[in-house]
Amino acid sequence: WPGGSPKDAPFGGAMYSQDFTAGLAAASPMINGGMVFSYNYSTCEGRYCRRDLPTNDDMAFAYMQTGAFGNMTQATDLGLVPSAQSGGLIPPGSVSGAFTLEEMPGSEGGALWKRTCYWGPGSCASTEFGSYDLIKIVDEHGEPVQPHYDEFIEYMGEVPLFVWAGWADEQAKKDVADRIEAFVQNGTIPAFMSTLRPGAESV
């Protein structure tokens, strides 16, 4: 996550801050909320998929599902996202959402993906808005994937970055685990996570 705003950031850097505030705001729910992500891969079904892939390639497309507090058996209602971001102007339950991953043309070694976002009224998530590209800059051995790595370094410039690289010690890990367990058992969750469980009491 970034600790500042690149000089050529889109929309005038609206999604960044001049310090670590925006990066920490994006990272915190994933840690404190115990967010988990699962993917159901298949052959290409989307509009961005590579058409030169073998028809039996079952890793070209995936539906994405999220869950809170480490629970992979109950999917988060993605339709609650626009409700929360609109300040309640969009009533909960009136919008549905669907997220996918699609390997794009020109991808080598799984380096280029489209992460789509679809929204719509009721149960029909047919309008694309908020999609973005996912680009691999480091491979599984920690080696740069070119030219994407150099392009990323040039884009970020002197902006510092921070990554999630584990826990300071076992006690720090246990502290977060205990908090999540308490939230689950008591039915109370922090205000910034309250939209993930309809009817939950925020604290």
Side-chain angles (χ1 to χ4, degrees), residues 94-163:
S94 64
V95 174
S96 60
F99 293 167
T100 72
L101 277 176
E102 303 178 29
E103 190 169 11
M104 296 191 295
S107 175
E108 295 184 8
L112 299 176
W113 295 81
K114 179 68 74 172
R115 229 295 270 132
T116 69
C117 304
Y118 289 95
W119 312 97
S123 60
C124 182
S126 58
T127 301
E128 184 180 359
F129 179 79
S131 298
Y132 55 88
D133 295 348
L134 285 176
I135 302 175
K136 183 192 296 184
I137 61 173
V138 178
D139 67 16
E140 67 273 24
H141 305 295
E143 298 297 324
V145 175
Q146 299 293 7
H148 312 307
Y149 179 87
D150 286 347
E151 292 171 349
F152 176 75
I153 295 299
E154 181 180 2
Y155 169 74
M156 294 306 300
E158 299 299 318
V159 174
L161 302 170
F162 68 98
V163 299

Side-chain angles (χ1 to χ4, degrees), residues 68-69 179-189 197:
F69 308 114
R179 287 164 56 195
I180 292 175
E181 181 64 22
F183 296 151
V184 173
Q185 294 298 326
N186 299 330
T188 58
I189 59 179
R197 185 187 298 172

Side-chain angles (χ1 to χ4, degrees), residues 31 167 171-183:
I31 300 169
W167 306 91
Q171 186 59 49
K173 181 178 180 180
K174 183 177 184 301
D175 288 344
V176 173
D178 288 346
R179 287 164 56 195
I180 292 175
E181 181 64 22
F183 296 151

Side-chain angles (χ1 to χ4, degrees), residues 8 11 19 39 45 53 66 80 89 93-94 118 120 129 153 156 164 173 180 187 198 201:
D8 294 324
F11 307 109
D19 53 19
Y39 305 86
E45 299 179 26
L53 288 169
T66 64
L80 293 175
L89 294 177
S94 64
Y118 289 95
F129 179 79
I153 295 299
M156 294 306 300
W164 175 251
K173 181 178 180 180
I180 292 175
E201 177 186 352

